[in-house]
Amino acid sequence: AACSSKYVLSQIHPMWQQPIAVPGGHCQSPIDIVVRKSVFDSALKPLATDYDPETCQQIWNNGYSFLVEYDDSADKSTLKGGPLQDQFRLCQFHFHWGESNAWGSEHTVDRRLFPAELHLVHWNSDKYSLFEEAVSGDNGLAVIGVFLKVGKRHEGLQKLVDALPAIRHKGSVVEFTRFDPACLLPSNTEDYWTYHGSLTTPPLTESVTWIVMKQHIEVSHDQLAVFRSLLFTSAEEEVQKSMVNNFRVQQPLCGRTVRSSFT
Ligand SMILES: CCCCNCc1ccc(S(N)(=O)=O)cc1
Ligand SMILES: [Zn+2]
């Protein structure tokens, strides 16, 4: 399945701008990871993240999710190793979640749904000079996916949760500094699945090396409830819609192989 990275036209579903069908896309994301069909690859290395909290700049509501954005004008917060040959720069992270704890993740593992999923978005700074170029370029992006489960309170996440009421509406931005995203990674960063896919929201370009961590992180019910207090809508809109179920439906594998770094 040749994974092109050209822009693909997609039908936009009124509900959540949910692209439901993507003609011409054979490497779309997210997918269901069928564990027994994944192929162990001993050449896969542990992830090597090197994030500088000083590059953290702002947190904002873009009407799909909330994003924490990093200064990616230099190689200061980087990702290497894993399945990657090149060096990638962190540009942002965000989440996807459900209206209930029963669903919300984009990827699934043997059809198992998680209440939420974290995406750490990086672009290939060996090949490209801007995120916008890498978005539609081959081997342009690397996204780390981390599943969230409801359990004990995540102390590192709380600083981010406390900032959310200030960005309730679409388009709101507040300064957000000195946040180390490494605190959101699971303790085990050796075990992951990896496959070639796409962005899960427009432009849906097939430029992503996905790295989905096997180990989840835990957050409390109350922390996740604050995610759901965000709104899809801007302050001016008369009907306010709560920001929930901002995940894309699973896409066909189209013959792709999912590799695992563990047996
Ligand atoms: C050209 C401007 C694109 C902005 N948005 C990029 C984008 C979309 C989806 C994902 S995801 N959900 O696949 O990680 C990451 C980044
Ligand atoms: Zn995402």
Side-chain angles (χ1 to χ4, degrees), residues 181-228:
C183 81
L184 298 177
L185 292 172
S187 49
N188 173 359
T189 55
E190 285 186 12
D191 294 353
Y192 56 84
W193 294 281
T194 183
Y195 75 99
H196 278 276
S198 73
L199 298 179
T200 65
T201 65
L204 298 170
T205 41
E206 299 181 339
S207 55
V208 184
T209 297
W210 277 97
I211 301 164
V212 180
M213 306 314 291
K214 178 189 170 200
Q215 188 180 52
H216 61 266
I217 60 170
E218 277 193 23
V219 303
S220 71
H221 176 88
D222 290 355
Q223 287 177 316
L224 214 42
V226 180
F227 283 23
R228 300 187 185 109

mmCIF file of all heavy atoms in Angstrom, residues 181-228:
data_model
loop_
_atom_site.group_PDB
_atom_site.id
_atom_site.type_symbol
_atom_site.label_atom_id
_atom_site.label_comp_id
_atom_site.label_asym_id
_atom_site.label_seq_id
_atom_site.Cartn_x
_atom_site.Cartn_y
_atom_site.Cartn_z
ATOM 1 N N PRO A 181 6.731 17.578 28.714
ATOM 2 C CA PRO A 181 5.778 16.562 28.248
ATOM 3 C C PRO A 181 6.257 15.128 28.542
ATOM 4 O O PRO A 181 5.469 14.196 28.486
ATOM 5 C CB PRO A 181 5.685 16.815 26.748
ATOM 6 C CG PRO A 181 6.915 17.546 26.382
ATOM 7 C CD PRO A 181 7.368 18.290 27.602
ATOM 8 N N ALA A 182 7.539 14.999 28.907
ATOM 9 C CA ALA A 182 8.041 13.645 29.226
ATOM 10 C C ALA A 182 7.281 13.065 30.417
ATOM 11 O O ALA A 182 7.170 11.839 30.549
ATOM 12 C CB ALA A 182 9.538 13.700 29.517
ATOM 13 N N CYS A 183 6.706 13.956 31.248
ATOM 14 C CA CYS A 183 5.974 13.450 32.434
ATOM 15 C C CYS A 183 4.695 12.733 32.011
ATOM 16 O O CYS A 183 4.085 12.010 32.806
ATOM 17 C CB CYS A 183 5.676 14.596 33.396
ATOM 18 S SG CYS A 183 4.239 15.598 32.967
ATOM 19 N N LEU A 184 4.284 12.912 30.750
ATOM 20 C CA LEU A 184 3.055 12.258 30.279
ATOM 21 C C LEU A 184 3.341 10.917 29.606
ATOM 22 O O LEU A 184 2.418 10.207 29.210
ATOM 23 C CB LEU A 184 2.324 13.183 29.297
ATOM 24 C CG LEU A 184 1.849 14.522 29.864
ATOM 25 C CD1 LEU A 184 1.214 15.366 28.774
ATOM 26 C CD2 LEU A 184 0.861 14.306 31.023
ATOM 27 N N LEU A 185 4.624 10.572 29.476
ATOM 28 C CA LEU A 185 4.955 9.282 28.861
ATOM 29 C C LEU A 185 4.884 8.180 29.915
ATOM 30 O O LEU A 185 5.135 8.432 31.102
ATOM 31 C CB LEU A 185 6.364 9.334 28.256
ATOM 32 C CG LEU A 185 6.537 10.253 27.040
ATOM 33 C CD1 LEU A 185 8.010 10.357 26.653
ATOM 34 C CD2 LEU A 185 5.704 9.743 25.867
ATOM 35 N N PRO A 186 4.556 6.968 29.515
ATOM 36 C CA PRO A 186 4.561 5.864 30.483
ATOM 37 C C PRO A 186 5.999 5.554 30.883
ATOM 38 O O PRO A 186 6.948 5.970 30.200
ATOM 39 C CB PRO A 186 3.944 4.707 29.688
ATOM 40 C CG PRO A 186 4.182 5.030 28.252
ATOM 41 C CD PRO A 186 4.151 6.531 28.167
ATOM 42 N N SER A 187 6.156 4.814 31.987
ATOM 43 C CA SER A 187 7.520 4.517 32.454
ATOM 44 C C SER A 187 8.245 3.633 31.436
ATOM 45 O O SER A 187 9.446 3.770 31.221
ATOM 46 C CB SER A 187 7.459 3.811 33.816
ATOM 47 O OG SER A 187 6.523 2.743 33.752
ATOM 48 N N ASN A 188 7.493 2.765 30.783
ATOM 49 C CA ASN A 188 8.090 1.879 29.776
ATOM 50 C C ASN A 188 7.949 2.516 28.386
ATOM 51 O O ASN A 188 6.858 2.562 27.828
ATOM 52 C CB ASN A 188 7.360 0.521 29.822
ATOM 53 C CG ASN A 188 7.799 -0.414 28.702
ATOM 54 O OD1 ASN A 188 8.633 -0.035 27.870
ATOM 55 N ND2 ASN A 188 7.230 -1.600 28.676
ATOM 56 N N THR A 189 9.080 2.989 27.847
ATOM 57 C CA THR A 189 9.039 3.581 26.498
ATOM 58 C C THR A 189 9.752 2.657 25.506
ATOM 59 O O THR A 189 10.077 3.049 24.383
ATOM 60 C CB THR A 189 9.707 4.978 26.454
ATOM 61 O OG1 THR A 189 11.036 4.850 26.970
ATOM 62 C CG2 THR A 189 8.918 5.985 27.263
ATOM 63 N N GLU A 190 9.959 1.396 25.943
ATOM 64 C CA GLU A 190 10.587 0.417 25.025
ATOM 65 C C GLU A 190 9.537 -0.334 24.224
ATOM 66 O O GLU A 190 9.807 -0.768 23.108
ATOM 67 C CB GLU A 190 11.397 -0.604 25.841
ATOM 68 C CG GLU A 190 12.698 -0.052 26.369
ATOM 69 C CD GLU A 190 13.553 -1.140 27.049
ATOM 70 O OE1 GLU A 190 13.215 -2.336 26.890
ATOM 71 O OE2 GLU A 190 14.532 -0.773 27.693
ATOM 72 N N ASP A 191 8.353 -0.505 24.842
ATOM 73 C CA ASP A 191 7.325 -1.347 24.209
ATOM 74 C C ASP A 191 6.295 -0.480 23.490
ATOM 75 O O ASP A 191 5.564 0.296 24.130
ATOM 76 C CB ASP A 191 6.612 -2.207 25.266
ATOM 77 C CG ASP A 191 7.551 -3.231 25.905
ATOM 78 O OD1 ASP A 191 8.692 -3.348 25.417
ATOM 79 O OD2 ASP A 191 7.140 -3.895 26.879
ATOM 80 N N TYR A 192 6.251 -0.626 22.162
ATOM 81 C CA TYR A 192 5.285 0.138 21.365
ATOM 82 C C TYR A 192 4.986 -0.622 20.072
ATOM 83 O O TYR A 192 5.707 -1.556 19.695
ATOM 84 C CB TYR A 192 5.851 1.533 21.020
ATOM 85 C CG TYR A 192 7.189 1.494 20.308
ATOM 86 C CD1 TYR A 192 7.281 1.320 18.928
ATOM 87 C CD2 TYR A 192 8.389 1.613 21.031
ATOM 88 C CE1 TYR A 192 8.500 1.249 18.280
ATOM 89 C CE2 TYR A 192 9.624 1.548 20.392
ATOM 90 C CZ TYR A 192 9.675 1.370 19.023
ATOM 91 O OH TYR A 192 10.891 1.290 18.400
ATOM 92 N N TRP A 193 3.906 -0.188 19.425
ATOM 93 C CA TRP A 193 3.591 -0.642 18.062
ATOM 94 C C TRP A 193 3.875 0.520 17.136
ATOM 95 O O TRP A 193 3.741 1.690 17.527
ATOM 96 C CB TRP A 193 2.101 -1.034 17.962
ATOM 97 C CG TRP A 193 1.705 -2.213 18.773
ATOM 98 C CD1 TRP A 193 1.908 -3.541 18.474
ATOM 99 C CD2 TRP A 193 1.014 -2.186 20.041
ATOM 100 N NE1 TRP A 193 1.398 -4.337 19.475
ATOM 101 C CE2 TRP A 193 0.843 -3.526 20.437
ATOM 102 C CE3 TRP A 193 0.522 -1.160 20.860
ATOM 103 C CZ2 TRP A 193 0.191 -3.871 21.623
ATOM 104 C CZ3 TRP A 193 -0.129 -1.503 22.039
ATOM 105 C CH2 TRP A 193 -0.284 -2.839 22.415
ATOM 106 N N THR A 194 4.264 0.233 15.895
ATOM 107 C CA THR A 194 4.509 1.315 14.941
ATOM 108 C C THR A 194 4.010 0.923 13.558
ATOM 109 O O THR A 194 4.067 -0.244 13.174
ATOM 110 C CB THR A 194 6.016 1.694 14.909
ATOM 111 O OG1 THR A 194 6.201 2.796 14.008
ATOM 112 C CG2 THR A 194 6.894 0.520 14.480
ATOM 113 N N TYR A 195 3.450 1.920 12.846
ATOM 114 C CA TYR A 195 2.930 1.669 11.481
ATOM 115 C C TYR A 195 2.859 2.992 10.739
ATOM 116 O O TYR A 195 2.941 4.067 11.372
ATOM 117 C CB TYR A 195 1.537 1.007 11.546
ATOM 118 C CG TYR A 195 0.416 1.953 11.915
ATOM 119 C CD1 TYR A 195 -0.416 2.518 10.934
ATOM 120 C CD2 TYR A 195 0.178 2.311 13.235
ATOM 121 C CE1 TYR A 195 -1.431 3.407 11.264
ATOM 122 C CE2 TYR A 195 -0.844 3.186 13.574
ATOM 123 C CZ TYR A 195 -1.646 3.727 12.573
ATOM 124 O OH TYR A 195 -2.653 4.611 12.913
ATOM 125 N N HIS A 196 2.724 2.934 9.443
ATOM 126 C CA HIS A 196 2.626 4.152 8.634
ATOM 127 C C HIS A 196 1.168 4.537 8.466
ATOM 128 O O HIS A 196 0.343 3.726 8.029
ATOM 129 C CB HIS A 196 3.287 3.950 7.260
ATOM 130 C CG HIS A 196 4.780 4.129 7.360
ATOM 131 N ND1 HIS A 196 5.369 5.369 7.312
ATOM 132 C CD2 HIS A 196 5.766 3.233 7.581
ATOM 133 C CE1 HIS A 196 6.689 5.231 7.466
ATOM 134 N NE2 HIS A 196 6.959 3.942 7.635
ATOM 135 N N GLY A 197 0.863 5.783 8.818
ATOM 136 C CA GLY A 197 -0.526 6.236 8.730
ATOM 137 C C GLY A 197 -0.635 7.706 8.424
ATOM 138 O O GLY A 197 0.240 8.287 7.766
ATOM 139 N N SER A 198 -1.700 8.280 8.940
ATOM 140 C CA SER A 198 -2.029 9.660 8.552
ATOM 141 C C SER A 198 -2.382 10.508 9.774
ATOM 142 O O SER A 198 -2.518 10.005 10.881
ATOM 143 C CB SER A 198 -3.270 9.648 7.625
ATOM 144 O OG SER A 198 -4.444 9.362 8.411
ATOM 145 N N LEU A 199 -2.583 11.796 9.509
ATOM 146 C CA LEU A 199 -3.199 12.652 10.517
ATOM 147 C C LEU A 199 -4.639 12.183 10.676
ATOM 148 O O LEU A 199 -5.254 11.696 9.715
ATOM 149 C CB LEU A 199 -3.185 14.106 10.040
ATOM 150 C CG LEU A 199 -1.797 14.727 9.810
ATOM 151 C CD1 LEU A 199 -1.947 16.159 9.322
ATOM 152 C CD2 LEU A 199 -0.962 14.671 11.074
ATOM 153 N N THR A 200 -5.191 12.304 11.874
ATOM 154 C CA THR A 200 -6.572 11.831 12.079
ATOM 155 C C THR A 200 -7.586 12.971 11.959
ATOM 156 O O THR A 200 -8.775 12.761 12.160
ATOM 157 C CB THR A 200 -6.720 11.179 13.468
ATOM 158 O OG1 THR A 200 -6.516 12.194 14.476
ATOM 159 C CG2 THR A 200 -5.732 10.046 13.652
ATOM 160 N N THR A 201 -7.095 14.172 11.654
ATOM 161 C CA THR A 201 -8.005 15.279 11.323
ATOM 162 C C THR A 201 -7.466 15.913 10.041
ATOM 163 O O THR A 201 -6.308 15.662 9.673
ATOM 164 C CB THR A 201 -8.031 16.370 12.430
ATOM 165 O OG1 THR A 201 -6.741 16.980 12.510
ATOM 166 C CG2 THR A 201 -8.398 15.791 13.780
ATOM 167 N N PRO A 202 -8.285 16.697 9.360
ATOM 168 C CA PRO A 202 -7.779 17.342 8.139
ATOM 169 C C PRO A 202 -6.447 18.032 8.426
ATOM 170 O O PRO A 202 -6.264 18.563 9.519
ATOM 171 C CB PRO A 202 -8.886 18.378 7.829
ATOM 172 C CG PRO A 202 -10.122 17.772 8.406
ATOM 173 C CD PRO A 202 -9.682 17.057 9.653
ATOM 174 N N PRO A 203 -5.478 17.980 7.520
ATOM 175 C CA PRO A 203 -5.591 17.542 6.116
ATOM 176 C C PRO A 203 -5.446 16.038 5.888
ATOM 177 O O PRO A 203 -5.317 15.628 4.735
ATOM 178 C CB PRO A 203 -4.445 18.299 5.459
ATOM 179 C CG PRO A 203 -3.409 18.406 6.545
ATOM 180 C CD PRO A 203 -4.180 18.581 7.821
ATOM 181 N N LEU A 204 -5.407 15.195 6.956
ATOM 182 C CA LEU A 204 -5.429 13.726 6.794
ATOM 183 C C LEU A 204 -4.268 13.202 5.943
ATOM 184 O O LEU A 204 -4.359 12.093 5.390
ATOM 185 C CB LEU A 204 -6.750 13.268 6.152
ATOM 186 C CG LEU A 204 -8.025 13.582 6.958
ATOM 187 C CD1 LEU A 204 -9.259 13.303 6.101
ATOM 188 C CD2 LEU A 204 -8.088 12.768 8.241
ATOM 189 N N THR A 205 -3.201 13.964 5.860
ATOM 190 C CA THR A 205 -2.068 13.556 5.008
ATOM 191 C C THR A 205 -1.393 12.305 5.566
ATOM 192 O O THR A 205 -1.300 12.139 6.790
ATOM 193 C CB THR A 205 -1.043 14.707 4.905
ATOM 194 O OG1 THR A 205 -0.907 15.309 6.191
ATOM 195 C CG2 THR A 205 -1.521 15.744 3.913
ATOM 196 N N GLU A 206 -0.908 11.464 4.673
ATOM 197 C CA GLU A 206 -0.356 10.148 5.043
ATOM 198 C C GLU A 206 1.149 10.229 5.239
ATOM 199 O O GLU A 206 1.920 9.472 4.653
ATOM 200 C CB GLU A 206 -0.761 9.121 3.983
ATOM 201 C CG GLU A 206 -2.288 9.015 3.907
ATOM 202 C CD GLU A 206 -2.809 8.012 2.896
ATOM 203 O OE1 GLU A 206 -2.081 7.645 1.946
ATOM 204 O OE2 GLU A 206 -3.963 7.581 3.071
ATOM 205 N N SER A 207 1.533 11.127 6.079
ATOM 206 C CA SER A 207 2.957 11.450 6.304
ATOM 207 C C SER A 207 3.432 11.059 7.692
ATOM 208 O O SER A 207 4.506 11.487 8.123
ATOM 209 C CB SER A 207 3.116 12.970 6.167
ATOM 210 O OG SER A 207 2.201 13.622 7.061
ATOM 211 N N VAL A 208 2.626 10.224 8.392
ATOM 212 C CA VAL A 208 2.893 9.981 9.814
ATOM 213 C C VAL A 208 3.466 8.587 10.087
ATOM 214 O O VAL A 208 2.882 7.577 9.668
ATOM 215 C CB VAL A 208 1.601 10.148 10.663
ATOM 216 C CG1 VAL A 208 1.922 9.977 12.153
ATOM 217 C CG2 VAL A 208 0.963 11.515 10.415
ATOM 218 N N THR A 209 4.586 8.563 10.809
ATOM 219 C CA THR A 209 5.040 7.320 11.429
ATOM 220 C C THR A 209 4.399 7.304 12.816
ATOM 221 O O THR A 209 4.744 8.149 13.666
ATOM 222 C CB THR A 209 6.565 7.263 11.566
ATOM 223 O OG1 THR A 209 7.153 7.277 10.261
ATOM 224 C CG2 THR A 209 7.006 5.986 12.294
ATOM 225 N N TRP A 210 3.452 6.414 13.003
ATOM 226 C CA TRP A 210 2.758 6.299 14.292
ATOM 227 C C TRP A 210 3.557 5.413 15.230
ATOM 228 O O TRP A 210 4.094 4.365 14.821
ATOM 229 C CB TRP A 210 1.346 5.741 14.116
ATOM 230 C CG TRP A 210 0.374 6.811 13.746
ATOM 231 C CD1 TRP A 210 -0.067 7.154 12.497
ATOM 232 C CD2 TRP A 210 -0.250 7.725 14.647
ATOM 233 N NE1 TRP A 210 -0.922 8.216 12.571
ATOM 234 C CE2 TRP A 210 -1.052 8.586 13.888
ATOM 235 C CE3 TRP A 210 -0.203 7.901 16.040
ATOM 236 C CZ2 TRP A 210 -1.812 9.612 14.454
ATOM 237 C CZ3 TRP A 210 -0.956 8.911 16.618
ATOM 238 C CH2 TRP A 210 -1.754 9.764 15.826
ATOM 239 N N ILE A 211 3.656 5.854 16.491
ATOM 240 C CA ILE A 211 4.322 5.094 17.548
ATOM 241 C C ILE A 211 3.328 5.048 18.709
ATOM 242 O O ILE A 211 3.103 6.058 19.378
ATOM 243 C CB ILE A 211 5.633 5.787 17.989
ATOM 244 C CG1 ILE A 211 6.597 5.934 16.797
ATOM 245 C CG2 ILE A 211 6.300 5.015 19.126
ATOM 246 C CD1 ILE A 211 7.725 6.931 17.048
ATOM 247 N N VAL A 212 2.652 3.890 18.866
ATOM 248 C CA VAL A 212 1.601 3.767 19.880
ATOM 249 C C VAL A 212 2.153 2.975 21.060
ATOM 250 O O VAL A 212 2.532 1.810 20.906
ATOM 251 C CB VAL A 212 0.346 3.082 19.294
ATOM 252 C CG1 VAL A 212 -0.751 2.946 20.358
ATOM 253 C CG2 VAL A 212 -0.178 3.875 18.093
ATOM 254 N N MET A 213 2.232 3.615 22.235
ATOM 255 C CA MET A 213 2.852 2.986 23.411
ATOM 256 C C MET A 213 1.957 1.868 23.928
ATOM 257 O O MET A 213 0.724 2.002 23.987
ATOM 258 C CB MET A 213 3.085 4.012 24.514
ATOM 259 C CG MET A 213 3.885 5.242 24.068
ATOM 260 S SD MET A 213 5.347 4.846 23.098
ATOM 261 C CE MET A 213 6.369 4.084 24.360
ATOM 262 N N LYS A 214 2.596 0.770 24.330
ATOM 263 C CA LYS A 214 1.850 -0.366 24.872
ATOM 264 C C LYS A 214 1.322 -0.043 26.264
ATOM 265 O O LYS A 214 0.179 -0.372 26.605
ATOM 266 C CB LYS A 214 2.758 -1.601 24.930
ATOM 267 C CG LYS A 214 2.109 -2.851 25.530
ATOM 268 C CD LYS A 214 3.141 -3.935 25.740
ATOM 269 C CE LYS A 214 2.615 -5.107 26.544
ATOM 270 N NZ LYS A 214 3.731 -5.891 27.112
ATOM 271 N N GLN A 215 2.136 0.647 27.069
ATOM 272 C CA GLN A 215 1.736 0.962 28.455
ATOM 273 C C GLN A 215 0.960 2.276 28.479
ATOM 274 O O GLN A 215 1.362 3.256 27.842
ATOM 275 C CB GLN A 215 2.993 1.079 29.331
ATOM 276 C CG GLN A 215 2.705 1.215 30.816
ATOM 277 C CD GLN A 215 3.989 1.333 31.620
ATOM 278 O OE1 GLN A 215 4.841 2.173 31.316
ATOM 279 N NE2 GLN A 215 4.147 0.478 32.614
ATOM 280 N N HIS A 216 -0.163 2.263 29.188
ATOM 281 C CA HIS A 216 -0.982 3.472 29.291
ATOM 282 C C HIS A 216 -0.517 4.312 30.482
ATOM 283 O O HIS A 216 0.316 3.877 31.283
ATOM 284 C CB HIS A 216 -2.460 3.071 29.500
ATOM 285 C CG HIS A 216 -2.685 2.278 30.754
ATOM 286 N ND1 HIS A 216 -2.698 0.885 30.760
ATOM 287 C CD2 HIS A 216 -2.852 2.660 32.041
ATOM 288 C CE1 HIS A 216 -2.888 0.474 32.002
ATOM 289 N NE2 HIS A 216 -2.971 1.532 32.803
ATOM 290 N N ILE A 217 -1.078 5.521 30.584
ATOM 291 C CA ILE A 217 -0.884 6.320 31.798
ATOM 292 C C ILE A 217 -2.255 6.416 32.481
ATOM 293 O O ILE A 217 -3.285 6.186 31.858
ATOM 294 C CB ILE A 217 -0.328 7.742 31.500
ATOM 295 C CG1 ILE A 217 -1.264 8.531 30.592
ATOM 296 C CG2 ILE A 217 1.084 7.648 30.935
ATOM 297 C CD1 ILE A 217 -0.879 10.016 30.461
ATOM 298 N N GLU A 218 -2.230 6.735 33.778
ATOM 299 C CA GLU A 218 -3.469 6.872 34.529
ATOM 300 C C GLU A 218 -3.741 8.330 34.846
ATOM 301 O O GLU A 218 -2.815 9.071 35.205
ATOM 302 C CB GLU A 218 -3.388 6.083 35.855
ATOM 303 C CG GLU A 218 -3.712 4.615 35.719
ATOM 304 C CD GLU A 218 -3.924 3.926 37.066
ATOM 305 O OE1 GLU A 218 -4.250 4.621 38.058
ATOM 306 O OE2 GLU A 218 -3.741 2.703 37.115
ATOM 307 N N VAL A 219 -5.007 8.735 34.698
ATOM 308 C CA VAL A 219 -5.435 10.072 35.122
ATOM 309 C C VAL A 219 -6.705 9.866 35.946
ATOM 310 O O VAL A 219 -7.341 8.818 35.855
ATOM 311 C CB VAL A 219 -5.718 10.992 33.918
ATOM 312 C CG1 VAL A 219 -4.488 11.112 33.020
ATOM 313 C CG2 VAL A 219 -6.927 10.512 33.103
ATOM 314 N N SER A 220 -7.085 10.853 36.752
ATOM 315 C CA SER A 220 -8.270 10.645 37.595
ATOM 316 C C SER A 220 -9.542 10.977 36.811
ATOM 317 O O SER A 220 -9.505 11.685 35.797
ATOM 318 C CB SER A 220 -8.193 11.549 38.834
ATOM 319 O OG SER A 220 -8.394 12.898 38.443
ATOM 320 N N HIS A 221 -10.647 10.468 37.319
ATOM 321 C CA HIS A 221 -11.949 10.755 36.714
ATOM 322 C C HIS A 221 -12.171 12.261 36.645
ATOM 323 O O HIS A 221 -12.622 12.806 35.638
ATOM 324 C CB HIS A 221 -13.058 10.087 37.567
ATOM 325 C CG HIS A 221 -14.433 10.411 37.088
ATOM 326 N ND1 HIS A 221 -15.079 9.684 36.129
ATOM 327 C CD2 HIS A 221 -15.259 11.425 37.420
ATOM 328 C CE1 HIS A 221 -16.268 10.239 35.884
ATOM 329 N NE2 HIS A 221 -16.405 11.286 36.653
ATOM 330 N N ASP A 222 -11.827 12.956 37.753
ATOM 331 C CA ASP A 222 -12.051 14.412 37.808
ATOM 332 C C ASP A 222 -11.190 15.153 36.781
ATOM 333 O O ASP A 222 -11.627 16.144 36.195
ATOM 334 C CB ASP A 222 -11.752 14.935 39.221
ATOM 335 C CG ASP A 222 -12.813 14.453 40.217
ATOM 336 O OD1 ASP A 222 -13.801 13.809 39.763
ATOM 337 O OD2 ASP A 222 -12.657 14.701 41.422
ATOM 338 N N GLN A 223 -9.957 14.676 36.577
ATOM 339 C CA GLN A 223 -9.092 15.348 35.591
ATOM 340 C C GLN A 223 -9.702 15.216 34.188
ATOM 341 O O GLN A 223 -9.768 16.184 33.425
ATOM 342 C CB GLN A 223 -7.675 14.759 35.635
ATOM 343 C CG GLN A 223 -6.893 15.174 36.885
ATOM 344 C CD GLN A 223 -5.522 14.526 36.972
ATOM 345 O OE1 GLN A 223 -5.357 13.314 36.727
ATOM 346 N NE2 GLN A 223 -4.518 15.303 37.318
ATOM 347 N N LEU A 224 -10.216 14.022 33.896
ATOM 348 C CA LEU A 224 -10.823 13.812 32.576
ATOM 349 C C LEU A 224 -12.108 14.632 32.441
ATOM 350 O O LEU A 224 -12.423 15.153 31.371
ATOM 351 C CB LEU A 224 -11.118 12.316 32.395
ATOM 352 C CG LEU A 224 -10.981 11.723 31.003
ATOM 353 C CD1 LEU A 224 -9.748 12.239 30.273
ATOM 354 C CD2 LEU A 224 -10.923 10.197 31.094
ATOM 355 N N ALA A 225 -12.830 14.811 33.542
ATOM 356 C CA ALA A 225 -14.080 15.600 33.510
ATOM 357 C C ALA A 225 -13.787 17.046 33.106
ATOM 358 O O ALA A 225 -14.592 17.685 32.420
ATOM 359 C CB ALA A 225 -14.764 15.550 34.876
ATOM 360 N N VAL A 226 -12.617 17.558 33.477
ATOM 361 C CA VAL A 226 -12.275 18.942 33.100
ATOM 362 C C VAL A 226 -12.052 19.032 31.579
ATOM 363 O O VAL A 226 -12.428 20.022 30.948
ATOM 364 C CB VAL A 226 -11.050 19.452 33.878
ATOM 365 C CG1 VAL A 226 -10.711 20.886 33.477
ATOM 366 C CG2 VAL A 226 -11.293 19.379 35.378
ATOM 367 N N PHE A 227 -11.484 17.954 30.978
ATOM 368 C CA PHE A 227 -11.357 17.942 29.493
ATOM 369 C C PHE A 227 -12.746 18.185 28.879
ATOM 370 O O PHE A 227 -12.916 18.948 27.949
ATOM 371 C CB PHE A 227 -10.862 16.580 28.996
ATOM 372 C CG PHE A 227 -9.399 16.287 29.167
ATOM 373 C CD1 PHE A 227 -8.626 16.933 30.122
ATOM 374 C CD2 PHE A 227 -8.797 15.330 28.364
ATOM 375 C CE1 PHE A 227 -7.280 16.623 30.269
ATOM 376 C CE2 PHE A 227 -7.446 15.023 28.497
ATOM 377 C CZ PHE A 227 -6.690 15.670 29.455
ATOM 378 N N ARG A 228 -13.756 17.522 29.479
ATOM 379 C CA ARG A 228 -15.114 17.554 28.896
ATOM 380 C C ARG A 228 -15.820 18.884 29.151
ATOM 381 O O ARG A 228 -16.878 19.144 28.601
ATOM 382 C CB ARG A 228 -15.961 16.400 29.459
ATOM 383 C CG ARG A 228 -15.397 15.021 29.177
ATOM 384 C CD ARG A 228 -16.341 13.903 29.598
ATOM 385 N NE ARG A 228 -15.689 12.602 29.419
ATOM 386 C CZ ARG A 228 -15.276 11.841 30.435
ATOM 387 N NH1 ARG A 228 -15.483 12.215 31.690
ATOM 388 N NH2 ARG A 228 -14.666 10.690 30.198
#
